[in-house]
Each structure stands twice: as C-alpha cells, then as structure tokens.
Amino acid sequence: MAELHRLEHPVNTDGSISFLVVGDWGRRGTFNQSQVAQQMGIIGEKLNIDFVVSTGDNFYDDGLTGVDDPAFEESFTDVYTAPSLQKNWYNVLGNHDYRGDALAQLSPILKQKDNRWICMRSYIVNTDVAEFFFVDTTPFQDMYFTSPKDHTYDWRNVMPRKDYLSLVLEDLDSALRESSAKWKIVVGHHTIKSAGHHGSSKELGVHILPILQANNVDFYLNGHDHCLEHISSSDSPLQFLTSGGGSKSWRGDMNWWNPKEMKFYYDGQGFMAMQISQTQVWIQFFDIFGNILHKWSASKNLVSIM
C-alpha cells in the first residue's frame, strides 16, 4: 500500500504554529479577492503566520489550462503580495480545479514560478504540535461522474475510480492511526457538514467522517460553500470549519441547522486564522474589513510521563 507523501514544517521556538485558511479564491482579484488578500496580509503580519492553507477551487471557473496559464500569476502571485503571505501555501484541489488541467496544479513547474506553491492530491504536513492530512475530495462526489452537465473533468490518474478512492481511504485511515500528534487536522475541499448552498456531502459523510471519528480528529477544514462557518459535533470533539469566502460569495441561502451545533455562519467573504500550541487552539474568522466575526478556543492537557 502506498503511503501519503509527508512534508515537515518546523514549529516556532515556543512549539506553536499560526496559519491562515482561505478557499474558493482564484478570480484574478475580482469579487473582492484582492480585498480578502489585503486583510490576510495584515492579519498574517499581526499573527506572524507560518503558512497558509488553501481549501481548494484555486482557479475559476475551469482550473488552469496548463502550467503556462497566466491565471496562475494573475490569481495567485499578483494577488497575495503582502510580505506576511510569502510563506508556504499548502493547497488541495477543488472541483473547479478538476475542470481544467488538474495535473498542472500538481506540477513542480508552478513551484519554480512561485516557490510558495505546494499542491498534491492527498498528503501530510507534520508540524510536531499538529499534523495536517490533506485529502482529495472531488473524486468522491458522484455527481461529477453521473451528471457532469456541460463540464469536463480531468480524471487522469484517478481512474479506475473505485481503486483510487479505496487507496485514499486506506492511506488516510492508516496515517491517522499511526499519528501521535497532539492535534489532528484534516483538510479537504468539500463539506462534511454545512448549512450553505451546497450543503453536506453525502459521500464524505459515508466514507470520510467515520474515519475521522474513529481516529479522534480534532478539526475538518474545508471550502466549497462560499461562506465562513463553524459547526460542532454533538457526539464527538470534532469541529467542522468552512473557509470558502476567498472571493465570490453572498449566495443568500442558508439551510436550517441544529442551533446546538451551529456555532457561527457568515454568508460573505473572509478567511480564518488558527493558532495552535501544545495545550490550546485559537480560531478566528475575519471579514474583508479585518473585523473578527467569530472566536473559539479549545484546550488539551499535556500528558505527563511518570
């Protein structure tokens, strides 16, 4: 069985990390993408962030046409110009990315163009204090195969689909079981729980959610719904955090959700920040003006070895 590719990202001298999370962004600066990017730069400097997590749909509407597509510079390099954002960007692919040349975003050529760019289908980023498990969620969605409408998806290296999905699930379960990280964070494009326009993914609820619950995952980070959202679990510590407000937003529709689980919902643009230490996590959601819309924190005790 193939193992997920593993990257190491060093922690700060105090053993902590700080990072931003943004999704559904690549529109050449339009639909307030540039305004979101500007606030990310300001908050990123205040928090002295270590990296950025992108939850996918990196280039609209149909991904990149190839490694030389100017959209890479126009939607990424030329938009996220703040000094604080010149850190590693850990990306996953979204469904819009699969509508173009999906392999282009995975190509090392893009990292040569902009050394911040890191994108693989599924992989691990270990930071000692927290371990991040990035998952390729688009191939799990039946609708892209059964009713793609007028869209063409780049399924190279995904077919046969059943074998690909089995391998992703095996690798994720194995990596989570073997992880001894204080905090476990899974990142995917599609929602597992959401009250937004797209709603909850039935397929991820069946295939991914049980693996997260069985392996004591703390957070699932996603985009896809163009909103900012925090849903808690009534039956586990698992928190569902949507950061899909990187550009076009304001869908104007929200589905009812149990208010005991729905901690926060904002149908607009913005991004999320997370700070993690050995014993605590702090989460903040920001709008395009830099206002804090929602704050949340959680603690874990240090395990003492006698």
Side-chain angles (χ1 to χ4, degrees):
M1 187 177 71
E3 290 186 351
L4 295 177
H5 189 80
R6 179 182 293 270
L7 303 173
E8 299 289 332
H9 195 110
V11 295
N12 295 313
T13 52
D14 63 357
S16 69
I17 55 168
S18 176
F19 59 96
L20 303 182
V21 185
V22 65
D24 305 83
W25 42 267
R27 297 183 188 270
R28 293 179 167 86
T30 64
F31 292 98
N32 287 343
Q33 184 194 0
S34 293
Q35 285 82 350
V36 173
Q38 182 182 15
Q39 287 301 331
M40 287 174 63
I42 294 169
I43 302 301
E45 186 174 346
K46 286 181 180 176
L47 300 180
N48 191 25
I49 62 165
D50 300 290
F51 53 87
V52 178
V53 168
S54 167
T55 57
D57 276 2
N58 307 318
F59 302 99
Y60 285 97
D61 273 332
D62 298 314
L64 296 178
T65 58
V67 294
D68 294 320
D69 189 337
F72 180 72
E73 287 83 10
E74 294 166 358
S75 289
F76 178 59
T77 302
D78 298 343
V79 175
Y80 301 102
T81 56
S84 68
L85 303 181
Q86 307 308 303
K87 308 287 174 66
N88 284 355
W89 280 59
Y90 296 110
N91 300 272
V92 289
L93 296 176
N95 50 297
H96 283 268
D97 301 311
Y98 266 101
R99 292 181 189 176
D101 182 348
L103 300 186
Q105 292 194 47
L106 309 177
S107 170
I109 293 173
L110 292 193
K111 188 165 179 60
Q112 294 171 14
K113 291 174 178 279
D114 190 321
N115 65 8
R116 297 177 289 175
W117 186 260
I118 297 170
C119 187
M120 288 172 261
R121 292 190 199 271
S122 299
Y123 60 105
I124 297 170
V125 176
N126 179 46
T127 68
D128 286 343
V129 67
E131 204 161 12
F132 296 77
F133 304 82
F134 292 79
V135 182
D136 184 22
T137 61
T138 300
F140 282 90
Q141 310 305 308
D142 291 338
M143 64 180 289
Y144 305 138
F145 293 87
T146 59
S147 53
K149 299 179 182 176
D150 56 349
H151 304 302
T152 301
Y153 292 88
D154 181 4
W155 297 130
R156 286 176 294 173
N157 300 343
V158 170
M159 295 300 196
R161 181 188 177 207
K162 185 177 179 182
D163 295 345
Y164 179 80
L165 297 184
S166 294
L167 196 61
V168 170
L169 293 172
E170 287 175 25
D171 288 349
L172 177 63
D173 187 42
S174 173
L176 285 169
R177 268 190 284 112
E178 293 171 6
S179 174
S180 59
K182 187 73 175 179
W183 303 92
K184 297 180 186 180
I185 301 171
V186 175
V187 182
H189 175 64
H190 291 81
T191 57
I192 292 180
K193 291 190 177 184
S194 174
H197 177 79
H198 293 294
S200 305
S201 164
K202 173 173 56 72
E203 294 88 347
L204 297 193
V206 170
H207 298 291
I208 300 286
L209 181 57
I211 293 175
L212 308 192
Q213 292 171 328
N215 290 287
N216 302 312
V217 170
D218 298 286
F219 301 100
Y220 178 72
L221 312 182
N222 62 271
H224 197 47
D225 268 337
H226 297 184
C227 62
L228 305 175
E229 184 177 23
H230 175 194
I231 294 177
S232 66
S233 299
S234 55
D235 54 354
S236 79
L238 179 57
Q239 306 293 314
F240 302 90
L241 303 170
T242 298
S243 185
S247 60
K248 190 176 182 180
S249 195
W250 303 108
R251 287 280 198 170
D253 52 357
M254 175 187 174
N255 300 305
W256 184 90
W257 201 276
N258 183 348
K260 292 181 179 178
E261 292 186 345
M262 178 61 73
K263 301 297 185 186
F264 165 71
Y265 187 93
Y266 178 68
D267 185 31
Q269 289 123 347
F271 58 97
M272 187 176 78
M274 293 185 74
Q275 297 165 278
I276 304 179
S277 73
Q278 285 287 343
T279 57
Q280 197 157 12
V281 167
W282 297 267
I283 295 167
Q284 298 178 94
F285 285 89
F286 296 88
D287 67 11
I288 63 170
F289 305 107
N291 299 314
I292 298 173
L293 302 174
H294 174 63
K295 290 195 294 188
W296 186 86
S297 63
S299 300
K300 281 189 183 183
N301 294 326
L302 280 171
V303 178
S304 58
I305 302 174
M306 303 301 289

